[in-house]
Amino acid sequence: MTEQVPISLVVNGRRVQREVEPRRLLVDFLREDLGLVGTHIGCEHGVCGTCTVLRNGESIRSCITLAVQVDGQELLTVEGLAQDGKLHPIQEAFWEKQGLQCGYCTPGMLLRAKEILEESPRPTREQVREGIASQLCRCTGYQFIIDAIMDAAERMHEQGPDLVAAAQLAASQEQGPDLVAAAKLAAPQQES
Ligand code: FES
Ligand code: FES
């Protein structure tokens, strides 16, 4: 029988404990073991970015990461962006600015956009263009994607504390699911 290794991590704010083969890819773990099929598989070589997820807030390629490498850490997949049935501002902006066509690259785009906007809450168009270059899109020509990320920056600035980030922060600190308290926790980290 193949050796199984226990792992424990937080995925989209929820604690997950499983046993996996040491060679199990993270993208397969997410899609097949957890049913989170929003994380797409493209090149399988770490090039296209469609399998991007956030690990402790930083983007990683889940097709070249092993599930055992995220033991004890915190992941955000595209399924964790919307909260209480309400789209994340980045999702709203992609929707309204038509930042997608086939949508295959979109989960990775959204998560990379989130990382870009957390690093630079008021980015220049050039910064967004450079930042999103890590994600390949075959359909859009990128103009509408960049428009959407610029628009998302405005929305997030107007909305204040990022409840997704706050909830993740709270989960990692073993706090309850109180998003209001979590937002207060996150508030000092926001740029004005
Ligand atoms: S499928 Fe992972 S980078 Fe392309
Ligand atoms: S929208 Fe089709 S690959 Fe990007």
Side-chain angles (χ1 to χ4, degrees):
M1 186 174 160
T2 314
E3 180 196 1
Q4 300 278 314
V5 177
I7 60 172
S8 173
L9 61 154
V10 173
V11 181
N12 300 333
R14 295 192 173 189
R15 174 69 55 186
V16 170
Q17 292 175 310
R18 292 284 193 285
E19 293 204 339
V20 295
E21 285 184 35
R23 65 180 179 177
R24 184 104 172 119
L25 288 172
L26 177 58
V27 69
D28 294 332
F29 173 71
L30 291 172
R31 290 175 57 86
E32 295 171 14
D33 296 4
L34 303 188
L36 298 173
V37 294
T39 302
H40 291 167
I41 303 173
C43 65
E44 298 182 83
H45 285 85
V47 177
C48 73
T50 195
C51 66
T52 297
V53 298
L54 299 185
R55 175 175 59 186
N56 303 331
E58 293 186 359
S59 60
I60 57 169
R61 311 293 212 206
S62 60
C63 72
I64 53 169
T65 304
L66 298 172
V68 292
Q69 291 177 286
V70 297
D71 182 29
Q73 304 191 28
E74 186 182 315
L75 293 186
L76 181 68
T77 73
V78 69
E79 288 89 349
L81 280 176
Q83 292 290 311
D84 298 327
K86 179 164 170 39
L87 294 179
H88 188 282
I90 300 172
Q91 292 172 303
E92 288 176 347
F94 268 69
W95 174 282
E96 289 187 16
K97 296 293 179 184
Q98 300 175 18
L100 64 147
Q101 286 186 28
C102 79
Y104 201 80
C105 68
T106 307
M109 288 283 178
L110 294 170
L111 292 165
R112 174 64 183 136
K114 187 171 189 300
E115 181 183 40
I116 291 170
L117 294 178
E118 278 169 8
E119 287 171 359
S120 304
R122 306 305 293 272
T124 64
R125 198 171 172 84
E126 203 47 43
Q127 282 177 312
V128 170
R129 184 183 296 281
E130 202 170 296
I132 208 66
S134 59
Q135 312 299 120
L136 299 185
C137 176
R138 296 182 304 173
C139 309
T140 64
Y142 288 88
Q143 298 305 322
F144 290 173
I145 290 174
I146 295 165
D147 289 347
I149 298 172
M150 295 301 290
D151 185 63
E154 289 303 315
R155 289 167 189 262
M156 290 169 73
H157 184 68
E158 283 166 15
Q159 285 191 15
D162 182 340
L163 293 184
V164 173
Q168 294 267 309
L169 187 62
S172 70
Q173 295 179 357
E174 301 293 346
Q175 297 191 11
D178 181 344
L179 291 184
V180 175
K184 284 182 187 158
L185 195 62
Q189 299 173 4
Q190 302 291 317
E191 280 195 15
S192 58

